[in-house]
Amino acid sequence: MHRRKFLAASGTCLSVLAGCAGDTDGGSETTPPTSATSTTRNTPQTETATETTAAAAAPDSFVSRDGRHFTVDGEQFYFNGANCNYLVGWPYFDTAELEAVLRDASKMGLSVLRTGSLVNRSPSYWWAYSHQSVPGQFDEKAFAKLDYVIAKAREYGIRLVIPFVNAWGGRGGGVPQYVGWHVSADTYDDFYTDWRCRHTYRKFIKHVLNHENQYTNTKYKNDPTIMMWELGNELHLENHDDERLYKWIQDMAEHVKHFDSNHLLSTGAIGLGHYNGIEWGTDYLRDHSVDEIDACSFHLYGPAEVTGKGAFCNPESSRMDCQKSIQQHVQDAHNKLNKPAYIGEFGHPIHRTGDNVAKLKESRAEKYDKFYTELRKSDIDGAMFWQLHGVGKYPEDHYGEHPAPWAIRYPEDTAVVERVKQYSSTVAEKSETTSYA
């Protein structure tokens, strides 16, 4: 998610659907326990045995793809999920709050959480740890934090979607940091063609996939708790008029699959192009046609600075325009590419101050209700709202507001939480009733 999305507060796609007038890792106050030796498993501590009773069984099988369907052990798998970009490490986010947010997700029936992008930048106040602080140097303290998240998610039967890099940079470094590291790269788009940037990214991918979790003694590439990797979050070009991103996707997807044939892989794309003429160097059908890409990603906000009708619905778009956007993304993935489709991000903000907060919360819940109705009609394979918060020492939103306006807070946001639970029941029932014979 990027700063542009906060500008959409007055007119998101959810607002249109209701018919009404946009990584990280870093230090935390409580450091996850460290294992005594590399060969001894250090199981993350659980507060009480009863707190995990609502969780599903720990994932022992990988999520796979059979044509246009996600599958687990031969049965179709639909999911309801949420973004939790702080899971790779906000400074104010400690292990007790990790336990709490996983417990909250389980109570809401969420089976998948999408973390923030892995961090590539020099350590700073906000991120005391970085997975890659300089090219080719990897901080095992940062990976230990992610190890802990993966191990705890497994306990709660929750799978993870993890992007390798963030297109927008910011506190997590991302694409701009790769460019900044290398004198041979000058512009943002050089990330996709500069040989040093490409080499650094490829080396980082290899390290991530072969990293061994100190709590489970399992390499990431062998851990079914990870549902899917994304090449990045909202990757795009500043120069819109060429195929550099597409060629980069081809190359890097093949690189990932060379080291990891177990996991699904997607682009993490916004899903622009093909629908609204605003390319950003992306094309939904073209970019997801790559053989090694298993699932089609799109994000649904609006209006931001994007005009036209497509992955982002603008303020002038009708409810029908937004319905069409959802349906077209899903139908094209299913019918033209024979691949599953999922919404990696969607949401609607709320301002939590003033005299009419209760009314605003109910109105927001109605928007989510309308949105989930459209998802049911579309037969989409998965959706993850932006984003899940509990009640604790969460940081500000990216945009400086606290508590974060885009967050769904459990259990505080009662009305919208109920809509999320209802959709969780829908996808659970679909997964059970559409299994293969």
Side-chain angles (χ1 to χ4, degrees), residues 69-104:
H69 298 293
F70 292 127
T71 63
V72 177
D73 294 329
E75 296 185 351
Q76 290 182 27
F77 174 70
Y78 295 86
F79 69 87
N80 190 22
N83 284 266
C84 294
N85 73 326
Y86 47 82
L87 285 185
V88 287
W90 288 94
Y92 300 125
F93 190 74
D94 59 30
T95 55
E97 287 173 325
L98 168 63
E99 183 90 20
V101 78
L102 292 172
R103 190 164 56 246
D104 294 345

PDB file of all heavy atoms in Angstrom, residues 69-104:
ATOM      1  N   HIS A  69      -7.814 -23.179  -9.987  1.00  0.00           N
ATOM      2  CA  HIS A  69      -8.142 -23.318  -8.566  1.00  0.00           C
ATOM      3  C   HIS A  69      -6.892 -23.430  -7.704  1.00  0.00           C
ATOM      4  O   HIS A  69      -5.921 -24.093  -8.074  1.00  0.00           O
ATOM      5  CB  HIS A  69      -9.003 -24.568  -8.322  1.00  0.00           C
ATOM      6  CG  HIS A  69     -10.325 -24.550  -9.013  1.00  0.00           C
ATOM      7  ND1 HIS A  69     -11.331 -23.680  -8.683  1.00  0.00           N
ATOM      8  CD2 HIS A  69     -10.801 -25.311 -10.032  1.00  0.00           C
ATOM      9  CE1 HIS A  69     -12.380 -23.896  -9.447  1.00  0.00           C
ATOM     10  NE2 HIS A  69     -12.085 -24.870 -10.283  1.00  0.00           N
ATOM     11  N   PHE A  70      -6.916 -22.782  -6.520  1.00  0.00           N
ATOM     12  CA  PHE A  70      -6.011 -23.154  -5.439  1.00  0.00           C
ATOM     13  C   PHE A  70      -6.497 -24.483  -4.879  1.00  0.00           C
ATOM     14  O   PHE A  70      -7.705 -24.728  -4.766  1.00  0.00           O
ATOM     15  CB  PHE A  70      -6.036 -22.118  -4.319  1.00  0.00           C
ATOM     16  CG  PHE A  70      -5.457 -20.783  -4.677  1.00  0.00           C
ATOM     17  CD1 PHE A  70      -6.184 -19.617  -4.465  1.00  0.00           C
ATOM     18  CD2 PHE A  70      -4.178 -20.673  -5.206  1.00  0.00           C
ATOM     19  CE1 PHE A  70      -5.662 -18.375  -4.773  1.00  0.00           C
ATOM     20  CE2 PHE A  70      -3.632 -19.429  -5.519  1.00  0.00           C
ATOM     21  CZ  PHE A  70      -4.380 -18.272  -5.302  1.00  0.00           C
ATOM     22  N   THR A  71      -5.548 -25.335  -4.490  1.00  0.00           N
ATOM     23  CA  THR A  71      -5.922 -26.620  -3.899  1.00  0.00           C
ATOM     24  C   THR A  71      -5.010 -26.941  -2.721  1.00  0.00           C
ATOM     25  O   THR A  71      -3.866 -26.493  -2.652  1.00  0.00           O
ATOM     26  CB  THR A  71      -5.826 -27.771  -4.922  1.00  0.00           C
ATOM     27  OG1 THR A  71      -4.465 -27.915  -5.353  1.00  0.00           O
ATOM     28  CG2 THR A  71      -6.726 -27.526  -6.116  1.00  0.00           C
ATOM     29  N   VAL A  72      -5.542 -27.727  -1.804  1.00  0.00           N
ATOM     30  CA  VAL A  72      -4.768 -28.316  -0.712  1.00  0.00           C
ATOM     31  C   VAL A  72      -5.154 -29.782  -0.639  1.00  0.00           C
ATOM     32  O   VAL A  72      -6.336 -30.107  -0.464  1.00  0.00           O
ATOM     33  CB  VAL A  72      -5.052 -27.625   0.642  1.00  0.00           C
ATOM     34  CG1 VAL A  72      -4.272 -28.325   1.757  1.00  0.00           C
ATOM     35  CG2 VAL A  72      -4.690 -26.153   0.589  1.00  0.00           C
ATOM     36  N   ASP A  73      -4.191 -30.658  -0.796  1.00  0.00           N
ATOM     37  CA  ASP A  73      -4.443 -32.099  -0.795  1.00  0.00           C
ATOM     38  C   ASP A  73      -5.553 -32.484  -1.767  1.00  0.00           C
ATOM     39  O   ASP A  73      -6.420 -33.318  -1.456  1.00  0.00           O
ATOM     40  CB  ASP A  73      -4.797 -32.580   0.626  1.00  0.00           C
ATOM     41  CG  ASP A  73      -3.636 -32.448   1.594  1.00  0.00           C
ATOM     42  OD1 ASP A  73      -2.483 -32.562   1.145  1.00  0.00           O
ATOM     43  OD2 ASP A  73      -3.879 -32.221   2.797  1.00  0.00           O
ATOM     44  N   GLY A  74      -5.555 -31.856  -2.935  1.00  0.00           N
ATOM     45  CA  GLY A  74      -6.513 -32.203  -3.967  1.00  0.00           C
ATOM     46  C   GLY A  74      -7.874 -31.569  -3.833  1.00  0.00           C
ATOM     47  O   GLY A  74      -8.735 -31.765  -4.694  1.00  0.00           O
ATOM     48  N   GLU A  75      -8.095 -30.790  -2.782  1.00  0.00           N
ATOM     49  CA  GLU A  75      -9.382 -30.135  -2.586  1.00  0.00           C
ATOM     50  C   GLU A  75      -9.244 -28.641  -2.843  1.00  0.00           C
ATOM     51  O   GLU A  75      -8.238 -28.029  -2.496  1.00  0.00           O
ATOM     52  CB  GLU A  75      -9.906 -30.374  -1.169  1.00  0.00           C
ATOM     53  CG  GLU A  75     -10.195 -31.832  -0.860  1.00  0.00           C
ATOM     54  CD  GLU A  75     -10.819 -32.013   0.512  1.00  0.00           C
ATOM     55  OE1 GLU A  75     -10.856 -31.024   1.273  1.00  0.00           O
ATOM     56  OE2 GLU A  75     -11.261 -33.136   0.810  1.00  0.00           O
ATOM     57  N   GLN A  76     -10.277 -28.049  -3.451  1.00  0.00           N
ATOM     58  CA  GLN A  76     -10.238 -26.623  -3.737  1.00  0.00           C
ATOM     59  C   GLN A  76     -10.124 -25.819  -2.443  1.00  0.00           C
ATOM     60  O   GLN A  76     -10.725 -26.152  -1.430  1.00  0.00           O
ATOM     61  CB  GLN A  76     -11.482 -26.203  -4.514  1.00  0.00           C
ATOM     62  CG  GLN A  76     -11.494 -26.731  -5.942  1.00  0.00           C
ATOM     63  CD  GLN A  76     -12.703 -26.267  -6.719  1.00  0.00           C
ATOM     64  OE1 GLN A  76     -13.260 -25.215  -6.430  1.00  0.00           O
ATOM     65  NE2 GLN A  76     -13.123 -27.051  -7.697  1.00  0.00           N
ATOM     66  N   PHE A  77      -9.336 -24.739  -2.534  1.00  0.00           N
ATOM     67  CA  PHE A  77      -9.045 -23.914  -1.369  1.00  0.00           C
ATOM     68  C   PHE A  77      -9.368 -22.463  -1.697  1.00  0.00           C
ATOM     69  O   PHE A  77      -8.741 -21.857  -2.573  1.00  0.00           O
ATOM     70  CB  PHE A  77      -7.572 -24.059  -0.988  1.00  0.00           C
ATOM     71  CG  PHE A  77      -7.106 -23.147   0.111  1.00  0.00           C
ATOM     72  CD1 PHE A  77      -7.527 -23.333   1.425  1.00  0.00           C
ATOM     73  CD2 PHE A  77      -6.226 -22.099  -0.151  1.00  0.00           C
ATOM     74  CE1 PHE A  77      -7.082 -22.497   2.444  1.00  0.00           C
ATOM     75  CE2 PHE A  77      -5.777 -21.255   0.859  1.00  0.00           C
ATOM     76  CZ  PHE A  77      -6.215 -21.455   2.158  1.00  0.00           C
ATOM     77  N   TYR A  78     -10.390 -21.918  -1.058  1.00  0.00           N
ATOM     78  CA  TYR A  78     -10.695 -20.494  -1.111  1.00  0.00           C
ATOM     79  C   TYR A  78     -10.280 -19.888   0.223  1.00  0.00           C
ATOM     80  O   TYR A  78     -10.291 -20.575   1.253  1.00  0.00           O
ATOM     81  CB  TYR A  78     -12.194 -20.263  -1.322  1.00  0.00           C
ATOM     82  CG  TYR A  78     -12.727 -20.742  -2.646  1.00  0.00           C
ATOM     83  CD1 TYR A  78     -13.132 -22.061  -2.827  1.00  0.00           C
ATOM     84  CD2 TYR A  78     -12.855 -19.870  -3.724  1.00  0.00           C
ATOM     85  CE1 TYR A  78     -13.638 -22.512  -4.039  1.00  0.00           C
ATOM     86  CE2 TYR A  78     -13.364 -20.306  -4.944  1.00  0.00           C
ATOM     87  CZ  TYR A  78     -13.754 -21.629  -5.096  1.00  0.00           C
ATOM     88  OH  TYR A  78     -14.251 -22.055  -6.293  1.00  0.00           O
ATOM     89  N   PHE A  79      -9.931 -18.603   0.230  1.00  0.00           N
ATOM     90  CA  PHE A  79      -9.500 -18.029   1.505  1.00  0.00           C
ATOM     91  C   PHE A  79      -9.995 -16.611   1.698  1.00  0.00           C
ATOM     92  O   PHE A  79     -10.201 -15.860   0.739  1.00  0.00           O
ATOM     93  CB  PHE A  79      -7.972 -18.089   1.654  1.00  0.00           C
ATOM     94  CG  PHE A  79      -7.195 -17.181   0.734  1.00  0.00           C
ATOM     95  CD1 PHE A  79      -6.927 -15.858   1.087  1.00  0.00           C
ATOM     96  CD2 PHE A  79      -6.696 -17.649  -0.474  1.00  0.00           C
ATOM     97  CE1 PHE A  79      -6.191 -15.020   0.255  1.00  0.00           C
ATOM     98  CE2 PHE A  79      -5.962 -16.821  -1.325  1.00  0.00           C
ATOM     99  CZ  PHE A  79      -5.718 -15.502  -0.955  1.00  0.00           C
ATOM    100  N   ASN A  80     -10.193 -16.276   2.957  1.00  0.00           N
ATOM    101  CA  ASN A  80     -10.409 -14.906   3.401  1.00  0.00           C
ATOM    102  C   ASN A  80      -9.203 -14.531   4.248  1.00  0.00           C
ATOM    103  O   ASN A  80      -8.752 -15.315   5.085  1.00  0.00           O
ATOM    104  CB  ASN A  80     -11.687 -14.782   4.219  1.00  0.00           C
ATOM    105  CG  ASN A  80     -12.063 -13.337   4.498  1.00  0.00           C
ATOM    106  OD1 ASN A  80     -11.639 -12.430   3.789  1.00  0.00           O
ATOM    107  ND2 ASN A  80     -12.880 -13.115   5.520  1.00  0.00           N
ATOM    108  N   GLY A  81      -8.667 -13.345   4.022  1.00  0.00           N
ATOM    109  CA  GLY A  81      -7.453 -12.981   4.733  1.00  0.00           C
ATOM    110  C   GLY A  81      -7.339 -11.486   4.955  1.00  0.00           C
ATOM    111  O   GLY A  81      -8.259 -10.712   4.689  1.00  0.00           O
ATOM    112  N   ALA A  82      -6.184 -11.091   5.449  1.00  0.00           N
ATOM    113  CA  ALA A  82      -5.924  -9.686   5.757  1.00  0.00           C
ATOM    114  C   ALA A  82      -4.452  -9.381   5.547  1.00  0.00           C
ATOM    115  O   ALA A  82      -3.595 -10.270   5.605  1.00  0.00           O
ATOM    116  CB  ALA A  82      -6.321  -9.364   7.197  1.00  0.00           C
ATOM    117  N   ASN A  83      -4.160  -8.121   5.314  1.00  0.00           N
ATOM    118  CA  ASN A  83      -2.789  -7.634   5.344  1.00  0.00           C
ATOM    119  C   ASN A  83      -2.398  -7.298   6.777  1.00  0.00           C
ATOM    120  O   ASN A  83      -3.203  -6.754   7.540  1.00  0.00           O
ATOM    121  CB  ASN A  83      -2.652  -6.387   4.480  1.00  0.00           C
ATOM    122  CG  ASN A  83      -2.624  -6.698   3.001  1.00  0.00           C
ATOM    123  OD1 ASN A  83      -1.563  -6.852   2.407  1.00  0.00           O
ATOM    124  ND2 ASN A  83      -3.806  -6.822   2.383  1.00  0.00           N
ATOM    125  N   CYS A  84      -1.181  -7.641   7.133  1.00  0.00           N
ATOM    126  CA  CYS A  84      -0.586  -7.257   8.419  1.00  0.00           C
ATOM    127  C   CYS A  84       0.864  -6.879   8.126  1.00  0.00           C
ATOM    128  O   CYS A  84       1.790  -7.643   8.394  1.00  0.00           O
ATOM    129  CB  CYS A  84      -0.643  -8.401   9.429  1.00  0.00           C
ATOM    130  SG  CYS A  84      -2.294  -8.870   9.953  1.00  0.00           S
ATOM    131  N   ASN A  85       1.063  -5.683   7.555  1.00  0.00           N
ATOM    132  CA  ASN A  85       2.404  -5.355   7.077  1.00  0.00           C
ATOM    133  C   ASN A  85       3.416  -5.248   8.202  1.00  0.00           C
ATOM    134  O   ASN A  85       4.611  -5.388   7.984  1.00  0.00           O
ATOM    135  CB  ASN A  85       2.387  -4.075   6.235  1.00  0.00           C
ATOM    136  CG  ASN A  85       2.198  -2.825   7.061  1.00  0.00           C
ATOM    137  OD1 ASN A  85       1.500  -2.840   8.070  1.00  0.00           O
ATOM    138  ND2 ASN A  85       2.806  -1.722   6.633  1.00  0.00           N
ATOM    139  N   TYR A  86       2.951  -5.051   9.420  1.00  0.00           N
ATOM    140  CA  TYR A  86       3.853  -4.936  10.569  1.00  0.00           C
ATOM    141  C   TYR A  86       4.398  -6.290  11.017  1.00  0.00           C
ATOM    142  O   TYR A  86       5.273  -6.347  11.883  1.00  0.00           O
ATOM    143  CB  TYR A  86       3.108  -4.285  11.743  1.00  0.00           C
ATOM    144  CG  TYR A  86       1.752  -4.889  11.993  1.00  0.00           C
ATOM    145  CD1 TYR A  86       1.605  -6.060  12.715  1.00  0.00           C
ATOM    146  CD2 TYR A  86       0.605  -4.293  11.472  1.00  0.00           C
ATOM    147  CE1 TYR A  86       0.369  -6.627  12.911  1.00  0.00           C
ATOM    148  CE2 TYR A  86      -0.637  -4.846  11.667  1.00  0.00           C
ATOM    149  CZ  TYR A  86      -0.751  -6.021  12.393  1.00  0.00           C
ATOM    150  OH  TYR A  86      -1.988  -6.581  12.568  1.00  0.00           O
ATOM    151  N   LEU A  87       3.933  -7.391  10.453  1.00  0.00           N
ATOM    152  CA  LEU A  87       4.389  -8.703  10.909  1.00  0.00           C
ATOM    153  C   LEU A  87       5.876  -8.931  10.661  1.00  0.00           C
ATOM    154  O   LEU A  87       6.481  -9.777  11.303  1.00  0.00           O
ATOM    155  CB  LEU A  87       3.592  -9.827  10.233  1.00  0.00           C
ATOM    156  CG  LEU A  87       2.169 -10.032  10.744  1.00  0.00           C
ATOM    157  CD1 LEU A  87       1.546 -11.254  10.087  1.00  0.00           C
ATOM    158  CD2 LEU A  87       2.139 -10.198  12.261  1.00  0.00           C
ATOM    159  N   VAL A  88       6.451  -8.190   9.717  1.00  0.00           N
ATOM    160  CA  VAL A  88       7.894  -8.313   9.559  1.00  0.00           C
ATOM    161  C   VAL A  88       8.652  -7.318  10.419  1.00  0.00           C
ATOM    162  O   VAL A  88       9.860  -7.196  10.300  1.00  0.00           O
ATOM    163  CB  VAL A  88       8.332  -8.197   8.083  1.00  0.00           C
ATOM    164  CG1 VAL A  88       7.968  -9.440   7.320  1.00  0.00           C
ATOM    165  CG2 VAL A  88       7.767  -6.971   7.426  1.00  0.00           C
ATOM    166  N   GLY A  89       7.901  -6.591  11.312  1.00  0.00           N
ATOM    167  CA  GLY A  89       8.584  -5.932  12.392  1.00  0.00           C
ATOM    168  C   GLY A  89       8.458  -4.440  12.522  1.00  0.00           C
ATOM    169  O   GLY A  89       9.260  -3.711  11.975  1.00  0.00           O
ATOM    170  N   TRP A  90       7.442  -3.966  13.229  1.00  0.00           N
ATOM    171  CA  TRP A  90       7.410  -2.580  13.670  1.00  0.00           C
ATOM    172  C   TRP A  90       8.161  -2.457  14.993  1.00  0.00           C
ATOM    173  O   TRP A  90       8.183  -3.395  15.789  1.00  0.00           O
ATOM    174  CB  TRP A  90       5.980  -2.105  13.873  1.00  0.00           C
ATOM    175  CG  TRP A  90       5.217  -1.906  12.621  1.00  0.00           C
ATOM    176  CD1 TRP A  90       4.395  -2.827  12.020  1.00  0.00           C
ATOM    177  CD2 TRP A  90       5.160  -0.748  11.796  1.00  0.00           C
ATOM    178  NE1 TRP A  90       3.837  -2.294  10.887  1.00  0.00           N
ATOM    179  CE2 TRP A  90       4.292  -1.024  10.728  1.00  0.00           C
ATOM    180  CE3 TRP A  90       5.768   0.508  11.872  1.00  0.00           C
ATOM    181  CZ2 TRP A  90       4.016  -0.090   9.735  1.00  0.00           C
ATOM    182  CZ3 TRP A  90       5.486   1.436  10.874  1.00  0.00           C
ATOM    183  CH2 TRP A  90       4.627   1.134   9.825  1.00  0.00           C
ATOM    184  N   PRO A  91       8.739  -1.313  15.276  1.00  0.00           N
ATOM    185  CA  PRO A  91       9.502  -1.179  16.516  1.00  0.00           C
ATOM    186  C   PRO A  91       8.636  -1.284  17.754  1.00  0.00           C
ATOM    187  O   PRO A  91       9.142  -1.640  18.814  1.00  0.00           O
ATOM    188  CB  PRO A  91      10.130   0.216  16.390  1.00  0.00           C
ATOM    189  CG  PRO A  91       9.275   0.943  15.419  1.00  0.00           C
ATOM    190  CD  PRO A  91       8.801  -0.092  14.446  1.00  0.00           C
ATOM    191  N   TYR A  92       7.342  -0.951  17.648  1.00  0.00           N
ATOM    192  CA  TYR A  92       6.481  -0.995  18.821  1.00  0.00           C
ATOM    193  C   TYR A  92       5.691  -2.302  18.919  1.00  0.00           C
ATOM    194  O   TYR A  92       4.820  -2.429  19.759  1.00  0.00           O
ATOM    195  CB  TYR A  92       5.491   0.174  18.794  1.00  0.00           C
ATOM    196  CG  TYR A  92       6.160   1.518  18.795  1.00  0.00           C
ATOM    197  CD1 TYR A  92       5.889   2.440  17.809  1.00  0.00           C
ATOM    198  CD2 TYR A  92       7.081   1.853  19.783  1.00  0.00           C
ATOM    199  CE1 TYR A  92       6.505   3.684  17.809  1.00  0.00           C
ATOM    200  CE2 TYR A  92       7.707   3.083  19.787  1.00  0.00           C
ATOM    201  CZ  TYR A  92       7.415   4.007  18.796  1.00  0.00           C
ATOM    202  OH  TYR A  92       8.022   5.216  18.795  1.00  0.00           O
ATOM    203  N   PHE A  93       5.982  -3.240  18.039  1.00  0.00           N
ATOM    204  CA  PHE A  93       5.187  -4.457  17.953  1.00  0.00           C
ATOM    205  C   PHE A  93       5.965  -5.594  18.588  1.00  0.00           C
ATOM    206  O   PHE A  93       7.012  -6.002  18.089  1.00  0.00           O
ATOM    207  CB  PHE A  93       4.885  -4.760  16.486  1.00  0.00           C
ATOM    208  CG  PHE A  93       3.877  -5.855  16.285  1.00  0.00           C
ATOM    209  CD1 PHE A  93       2.538  -5.613  16.529  1.00  0.00           C
ATOM    210  CD2 PHE A  93       4.265  -7.103  15.852  1.00  0.00           C
ATOM    211  CE1 PHE A  93       1.601  -6.613  16.333  1.00  0.00           C
ATOM    212  CE2 PHE A  93       3.339  -8.103  15.660  1.00  0.00           C
ATOM    213  CZ  PHE A  93       2.002  -7.861  15.891  1.00  0.00           C
ATOM    214  N   ASP A  94       5.457  -6.110  19.720  1.00  0.00           N
ATOM    215  CA  ASP A  94       6.224  -7.128  20.425  1.00  0.00           C
ATOM    216  C   ASP A  94       5.573  -8.497  20.267  1.00  0.00           C
ATOM    217  O   ASP A  94       4.539  -8.661  19.623  1.00  0.00           O
ATOM    218  CB  ASP A  94       6.411  -6.745  21.893  1.00  0.00           C
ATOM    219  CG  ASP A  94       5.087  -6.561  22.623  1.00  0.00           C
ATOM    220  OD1 ASP A  94       4.089  -7.217  22.263  1.00  0.00           O
ATOM    221  OD2 ASP A  94       5.048  -5.752  23.569  1.00  0.00           O
ATOM    222  N   THR A  95       6.183  -9.504  20.883  1.00  0.00           N
ATOM    223  CA  THR A  95       5.736 -10.875  20.686  1.00  0.00           C
ATOM    224  C   THR A  95       4.350 -11.128  21.266  1.00  0.00           C
ATOM    225  O   THR A  95       3.592 -11.935  20.729  1.00  0.00           O
ATOM    226  CB  THR A  95       6.748 -11.851  21.303  1.00  0.00           C
ATOM    227  OG1 THR A  95       6.945 -11.513  22.680  1.00  0.00           O
ATOM    228  CG2 THR A  95       8.072 -11.780  20.572  1.00  0.00           C
ATOM    229  N   ALA A  96       4.002 -10.463  22.349  1.00  0.00           N
ATOM    230  CA  ALA A  96       2.667 -10.632  22.922  1.00  0.00           C
ATOM    231  C   ALA A  96       1.607 -10.126  21.946  1.00  0.00           C
ATOM    232  O   ALA A  96       0.524 -10.716  21.810  1.00  0.00           O
ATOM    233  CB  ALA A  96       2.559  -9.895  24.255  1.00  0.00           C
ATOM    234  N   GLU A  97       1.899  -9.032  21.258  1.00  0.00           N
ATOM    235  CA  GLU A  97       0.948  -8.497  20.291  1.00  0.00           C
ATOM    236  C   GLU A  97       0.888  -9.357  19.036  1.00  0.00           C
ATOM    237  O   GLU A  97      -0.152  -9.449  18.386  1.00  0.00           O
ATOM    238  CB  GLU A  97       1.303  -7.052  19.969  1.00  0.00           C
ATOM    239  CG  GLU A  97       0.971  -6.128  21.124  1.00  0.00           C
ATOM    240  CD  GLU A  97       1.478  -4.717  20.899  1.00  0.00           C
ATOM    241  OE1 GLU A  97       2.541  -4.553  20.307  1.00  0.00           O
ATOM    242  OE2 GLU A  97       0.797  -3.776  21.342  1.00  0.00           O
ATOM    243  N   LEU A  98       1.985 -10.006  18.683  1.00  0.00           N
ATOM    244  CA  LEU A  98       1.944 -10.973  17.597  1.00  0.00           C
ATOM    245  C   LEU A  98       0.970 -12.092  17.951  1.00  0.00           C
ATOM    246  O   LEU A  98       0.118 -12.480  17.144  1.00  0.00           O
ATOM    247  CB  LEU A  98       3.334 -11.545  17.338  1.00  0.00           C
ATOM    248  CG  LEU A  98       3.384 -12.772  16.418  1.00  0.00           C
ATOM    249  CD1 LEU A  98       2.875 -12.415  15.031  1.00  0.00           C
ATOM    250  CD2 LEU A  98       4.795 -13.340  16.352  1.00  0.00           C
ATOM    251  N   GLU A  99       1.099 -12.602  19.156  1.00  0.00           N
ATOM    252  CA  GLU A  99       0.184 -13.650  19.624  1.00  0.00           C
ATOM    253  C   GLU A  99      -1.261 -13.166  19.548  1.00  0.00           C
ATOM    254  O   GLU A  99      -2.155 -13.881  19.090  1.00  0.00           O
ATOM    255  CB  GLU A  99       0.534 -14.027  21.061  1.00  0.00           C
ATOM    256  CG  GLU A  99      -0.300 -15.154  21.638  1.00  0.00           C
ATOM    257  CD  GLU A  99       0.325 -16.506  21.381  1.00  0.00           C
ATOM    258  OE1 GLU A  99       1.538 -16.567  21.118  1.00  0.00           O
ATOM    259  OE2 GLU A  99      -0.401 -17.501  21.467  1.00  0.00           O
ATOM    260  N   ALA A 100      -1.485 -11.931  19.952  1.00  0.00           N
ATOM    261  CA  ALA A 100      -2.841 -11.397  19.981  1.00  0.00           C
ATOM    262  C   ALA A 100      -3.422 -11.257  18.586  1.00  0.00           C
ATOM    263  O   ALA A 100      -4.585 -11.594  18.343  1.00  0.00           O
ATOM    264  CB  ALA A 100      -2.857 -10.046  20.700  1.00  0.00           C
ATOM    265  N   VAL A 101      -2.633 -10.749  17.628  1.00  0.00           N
ATOM    266  CA  VAL A 101      -3.181 -10.528  16.292  1.00  0.00           C
ATOM    267  C   VAL A 101      -3.448 -11.855  15.586  1.00  0.00           C
ATOM    268  O   VAL A 101      -4.428 -11.987  14.838  1.00  0.00           O
ATOM    269  CB  VAL A 101      -2.253  -9.617  15.455  1.00  0.00           C
ATOM    270  CG1 VAL A 101      -1.043 -10.359  14.914  1.00  0.00           C
ATOM    271  CG2 VAL A 101      -3.028  -8.957  14.326  1.00  0.00           C
ATOM    272  N   LEU A 102      -2.635 -12.856  15.821  1.00  0.00           N
ATOM    273  CA  LEU A 102      -2.910 -14.171  15.246  1.00  0.00           C
ATOM    274  C   LEU A 102      -4.161 -14.786  15.864  1.00  0.00           C
ATOM    275  O   LEU A 102      -4.968 -15.424  15.176  1.00  0.00           O
ATOM    276  CB  LEU A 102      -1.708 -15.091  15.449  1.00  0.00           C
ATOM    277  CG  LEU A 102      -0.449 -14.715  14.668  1.00  0.00           C
ATOM    278  CD1 LEU A 102       0.718 -15.589  15.102  1.00  0.00           C
ATOM    279  CD2 LEU A 102      -0.678 -14.834  13.169  1.00  0.00           C
ATOM    280  N   ARG A 103      -4.326 -14.566  17.149  1.00  0.00           N
ATOM    281  CA  ARG A 103      -5.534 -15.049  17.823  1.00  0.00           C
ATOM    282  C   ARG A 103      -6.769 -14.336  17.274  1.00  0.00           C
ATOM    283  O   ARG A 103      -7.811 -14.952  17.016  1.00  0.00           O
ATOM    284  CB  ARG A 103      -5.389 -14.827  19.325  1.00  0.00           C
ATOM    285  CG  ARG A 103      -6.468 -15.489  20.179  1.00  0.00           C
ATOM    286  CD  ARG A 103      -6.038 -15.552  21.645  1.00  0.00           C
ATOM    287  NE  ARG A 103      -5.704 -14.246  22.182  1.00  0.00           N
ATOM    288  CZ  ARG A 103      -4.480 -13.887  22.577  1.00  0.00           C
ATOM    289  NH1 ARG A 103      -3.479 -14.736  22.490  1.00  0.00           N
ATOM    290  NH2 ARG A 103      -4.260 -12.682  23.073  1.00  0.00           N
ATOM    291  N   ASP A 104      -6.646 -13.021  17.056  1.00  0.00           N
ATOM    292  CA  ASP A 104      -7.763 -12.260  16.501  1.00  0.00           C
ATOM    293  C   ASP A 104      -8.102 -12.736  15.089  1.00  0.00           C
ATOM    294  O   ASP A 104      -9.280 -12.884  14.734  1.00  0.00           O
ATOM    295  CB  ASP A 104      -7.425 -10.770  16.459  1.00  0.00           C
ATOM    296  CG  ASP A 104      -7.272 -10.162  17.844  1.00  0.00           C
ATOM    297  OD1 ASP A 104      -7.693 -10.807  18.828  1.00  0.00           O
ATOM    298  OD2 ASP A 104      -6.714  -9.051  17.950  1.00  0.00           O
TER     299      ASP A 104
END
